[in-house]
Each structure stands twice: as structure tokens, then as C-alpha cells.
């Protein structure tokens, strides 16, 4: 029984180190696979495109013509081109594109009168039985 009590913490520590080493290897392989033109997300949540890869740094284009240098360890994920395009350009996913076209047919028709913010239009609407004007 005492042997099991001593063995359980040792097994837990070995499993923790093993999972951490696996994560480090994944991060290392991701950092070595960085190439110009790839879309990335930094650890701060910044989406950018890789313009140049150096020994320990990466040059990212944050906006058209705006470049910044980050360490390779600041890159949290390399994104697929479709995922990067959807995030940057706000394009919906494929399943959202197939919405029915007659969805607006059930909506209530809007009034033809334009909305104005003048006092005269509020008094006129009050006289017609609309909402009371604030005074």
C-alpha cells in the first residue's frame, strides 16, 4: 500500500513533463514551419501576415504597409489560408452562406415616411395620433 502512495505522485509528475515536452515540440515545429505569406495569430490575439522570417524574429504585416517585428515565440498559431481570410475579411463560414432568400418576405413592411428629427414633424405626428411629442 505504501508503494502505491509513493508511486502515484511520481507517475503524475512524469505525465506532466511528457505533455509539456509534447507541447514544446509542437510549438518548435510550428515555429520552424513559418514562411512568408502565412497568416498567423500572436499570443496577444493579433492577426497578421508573415512577410519575412529571420533567425529569432518574424516580420509581420499588421495592416497594409504597417510592419512589426515579433519573436518567434510570440506566434501562437499558424492559420489555414481560408481561416485567415475569413477572420480578416469577415467572410462567413460555408454553412452560413446557404440561408433561405425569402427570409425577408415574412418581415413587417416598413413605413414609407422618412424619419426626421425636427420638432415640427413630432407635433404633426402627435396631431395624427402618433406618439406624443416631448416638450
Amino acid at each position: 500500500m505504501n508503494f502505491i502512495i509513493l508511486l502515484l505522485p511520481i507517475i503524475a509528475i512524469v505525465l506532466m513533463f511528457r505533455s509539456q515536452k509534447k507541447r514544446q515540440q509542437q510549438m518548435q515545429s510550428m515555429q520552424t514551419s513559418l514562411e512568408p505569406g502565412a497568416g498567423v495569430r500572436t499570443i496577444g490575439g493579433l492577426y497578421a501576415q508573415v512577410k519575412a522570417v529571420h533567425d529569432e524574429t518574424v516580420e509581420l504585416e499588421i495592416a497594409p504597409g504597417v510592419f512589426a517585428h515579433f519573436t518567434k515565440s510570440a506566434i501562437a498559431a499558424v492559420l489555414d489560408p481560408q481561416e485567415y481570410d475569413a477572420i480578416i475579411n469577415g467572410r462567413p463560414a460555408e454553412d452560413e452562406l446557404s440561408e433561405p432568400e425569402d427570409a425577408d418576405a415574412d418581415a413587417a413592411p416598413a413605413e414609407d415616411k422618412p424619419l426626421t428629427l425636427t420638432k415640427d414633424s413630432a407635433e404633426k405626428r402627435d396631431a395624427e395620433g402618433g406618439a406624443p411629442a416631448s416638450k
Side-chain angles (χ1 to χ4, degrees):
M1 184 69 175
N2 289 337
F3 181 70
I4 293 175
I5 293 174
L6 292 175
L7 191 61
L8 286 176
I10 294 172
I11 292 174
I13 291 171
V14 168
L15 289 176
M16 286 189 312
F17 280 120
R18 184 176 172 192
S19 65
Q20 183 177 0
K21 186 175 181 180
K22 190 175 183 179
R23 270 188 268 129
Q24 285 177 346
Q25 287 176 344
Q26 288 175 343
M27 189 65 112
Q28 183 70 27
S29 67
M30 187 264 312
Q31 288 175 0
T32 57
S33 70
L34 283 175
E35 58 186 30
V40 295
R41 182 183 68 237
T42 65
I43 57 175
L46 180 82
Y47 291 94
Q49 192 170 22
V50 177
K51 286 299 172 187
V53 180
H54 305 291
D55 291 337
E56 294 188 20
T57 62
V58 179
E59 185 176 351
L60 301 179
E61 185 174 17
I62 300 169
V66 179
F67 299 97
H69 293 272
F70 286 83
T71 62
K72 285 185 177 180
S73 61
I75 306 299
V78 177
L79 306 172
D80 294 331
Q82 294 86 10
E83 182 181 5
Y84 178 75
D85 187 43
I87 291 170
I88 296 301
N89 297 321
R91 295 195 173 122
E94 294 296 326
D95 58 350
E96 293 177 2
L97 292 176
S98 61
E99 292 181 8
E101 293 180 16
D102 59 5
D104 293 332
D106 296 334
E111 289 185 19
D112 293 335
K113 298 178 183 177
L115 179 64
T116 60
L117 299 175
T118 61
K119 187 174 180 180
D120 296 335
S121 65
E123 291 173 358
K124 186 176 181 183
R125 199 176 19 213
D126 187 31
E128 292 176 354
S134 61
K135 296 184 181 183

